[in-house]
Amino acid sequence: MRLVDTYTLFLFLAVLSFSSCEATKAYQEAQTAFSQGATVEMQERFADAADQLPSNFVYFDDLYKSNAPIDEGATAAGYYESAMGGIVKALKGEGQLKKAKALDNAYAIKALTHWRQGEYDEARETAEKAVPLLQHNTGEENDIRDLAMMQAMPGLINMDESFGALSEIKELGEELSNTRAISKKAALYDEIKAIYMASVASDEDGASSVTRGLALIERAIEGIDGESAIKIYLLNAQLAGMDNWGDILEVVFLSARRLNASPEEVNWVMEERGTYNANVKSYLGKLEAALPNGKDNKLYAYWARLLAGNI
């Protein structure tokens, strides 16, 4: 046998050996690291608000629980980095993952990790790969969870981006409130309105808006049968998006008033407030219908109280 043929055979056997022995293990390790990262992230994010949230509030890490302990001093970013390294390694053995009926879940973990790392384009692209695989393998609870998350992924990203838009629009609103020149105020208001239209109101396909995000998450919810943690989580995500919408709209309203905007502009703002209020009531109604004791549920009471000032 020629040297080149021997080398090619060696590489083939090496890849086959990896696929058989390492792919599934690497996937499991990546899954664990991702769950650990989600736990750390949720602990950090809700540290100051934990006592205000109801006990049945569904955190993201509730969907991806791990029994592995959290290392002292570990960070969510560190765990997510480990998860990505592991899942990239695992996907080199796609054949073995497919045999183990884990290829779809592996792509889901990769998409989720991209999402939590703020790599939104990569998250959307990977979620698109995961969806058709999960649709052909939805027998287990994890498959149902992952399919819903992958279908909702673009909408969840929109909600994240709306929070960034809120930070940006608050700065502009503050600048407008401290500005005396009418021309400068008008220019700032135009910027504020443009952000609102792009980050909240646009319903065009591909728009990174709350309105579009709500619709995308709703499609994922419609595919979930019965009561489940994933359904409640996605309903929470919609209401969190409504909270961002309300805060952004409040800046628009105050800015229009400080500008002494035209009657036509004031009417537009009030119409947007009416649309917002109607949506708050609608999504609170969806949550009420999904909870066993409806309005008496502590989770419903939490969201109703949080959004009460905006209705």
Side-chain angles (χ1 to χ4, degrees), residues 133-147:
L133 295 171
L134 287 159
Q135 287 174 329
H136 286 86
N137 186 28
T138 57
E140 297 184 4
E141 184 178 346
N142 287 352
D143 296 324
I144 296 170
R145 174 203 63 193
D146 285 350
L147 177 59

Side-chain angles (χ1 to χ4, degrees), residues 52-73:
Q52 303 172 25
L53 296 169
S55 58
N56 61 337
F57 188 89
V58 179
Y59 297 88
F60 176 68
D61 61 319
D62 289 331
L63 304 178
Y64 293 88
K65 290 184 177 179
S66 172
N67 294 325
I70 303 299
D71 296 331
E72 185 177 353

Side-chain angles (χ1 to χ4, degrees), residues 3-303:
L3 179 61
V4 65
D5 292 335
T6 303
Y7 181 67
T8 300
L9 178 61
F10 171 77
L11 286 179
F12 173 76
L13 292 175
V15 171
L16 182 63
S17 175
F18 169 79
S19 300
S20 300
C21 302
E22 299 295 332
T24 303
K25 180 181 177 182
Y27 159 65
Q28 291 170 343
E29 290 174 349
Q31 190 177 42
T32 297
F34 175 79
S35 298
Q36 290 170 308
T39 297
V40 174
E41 183 183 359
M42 293 302 101
Q43 288 174 348
E44 293 174 348
R45 178 181 294 186
F46 294 101
D48 296 333
D51 59 340
Q52 303 172 25
L53 296 169
S55 58
N56 61 337
F57 188 89
V58 179
Y59 297 88
F60 176 68
D61 61 319
D62 289 331
L63 304 178
Y64 293 88
K65 290 184 177 179
S66 172
N67 294 325
I70 303 299
D71 296 331
E72 185 177 353
T75 64
Y79 278 126
Y80 290 145
E81 185 176 350
S82 295
M84 184 58 70
I87 209 65
V88 168
K89 180 180 179 181
L91 286 170
K92 292 179 181 178
E94 284 197 11
Q96 181 62 21
L97 292 176
K98 191 171 184 179
K99 287 182 181 179
K101 295 185 178 180
L103 180 60
D104 48 358
N105 306 107
Y107 273 115
I109 289 295
K110 187 179 182 185
L112 290 164
T113 305
H114 278 308
W115 173 43
R116 300 322 305 150
Q117 290 180 318
E119 298 164 350
Y120 294 147
D121 290 341
E122 293 87 345
R124 292 187 188 96
E125 181 181 346
T126 309
E128 286 181 4
K129 292 181 181 179
V131 166
L133 295 171
L134 287 159
Q135 287 174 329
H136 286 86
N137 186 28
T138 57
E140 297 184 4
E141 184 178 346
N142 287 352
D143 296 324
I144 296 170
R145 174 203 63 193
D146 285 350
L147 177 59
M149 287 297 294
M150 294 301 97
Q151 290 174 327
M153 180 61 68
L156 294 171
I157 290 171
N158 281 16
M159 299 312 176
D160 284 354
E161 292 181 328
S162 73
F163 187 76
L166 173 59
S167 298
E168 183 180 0
I169 207 171
K170 278 183 174 179
E171 290 183 6
L172 290 171
E174 184 67 21
E175 185 179 355
L176 187 150
S177 70
N178 294 323
T179 299
R180 291 187 178 183
I182 297 300
S183 59
K184 178 63 174 176
K185 281 188 174 184
L188 287 168
Y189 179 78
D190 288 343
E191 287 187 61
I192 288 168
K193 184 174 179 179
I195 291 172
Y196 176 83
M197 296 301 296
S199 66
V200 172
S202 177
D203 61 357
E204 296 181 2
D205 286 346
S208 298
S209 67
V210 174
T211 298
R212 187 62 183 155
L214 289 167
L216 292 168
I217 295 173
E218 190 65 26
R219 289 183 187 179
I221 292 173
E222 289 172 355
I224 304 170
D225 294 326
E227 298 178 8
S228 65
I230 180 62
K231 184 174 184 179
I232 299 301
Y233 173 79
L234 293 177
L235 288 166
N236 283 340
Q238 288 179 315
L239 289 164
M242 292 306 306
D243 190 31
N244 289 343
W245 181 348
D247 289 342
I248 292 171
L249 183 57
E250 184 67 11
V251 176
V252 176
F253 172 77
L254 291 174
S255 298
R257 192 167 68 178
R258 288 164 179 158
L259 178 64
N260 195 22
S262 67
E264 292 79 13
E265 193 65 24
V266 172
N267 286 338
W268 172 78
V269 174
M270 297 311 295
E271 288 174 1
E272 289 300 308
R273 176 170 278 187
T275 299
Y276 170 76
N277 290 343
N279 274 280
V280 168
K281 291 178 181 178
S282 174
Y283 287 105
L284 280 174
K286 294 175 189 293
L287 179 64
E288 177 188 354
L291 296 171
N293 51 343
K295 288 185 177 181
D296 294 329
N297 193 285
K298 291 181 179 180
L299 183 59
Y300 179 91
Y302 165 77
W303 283 113

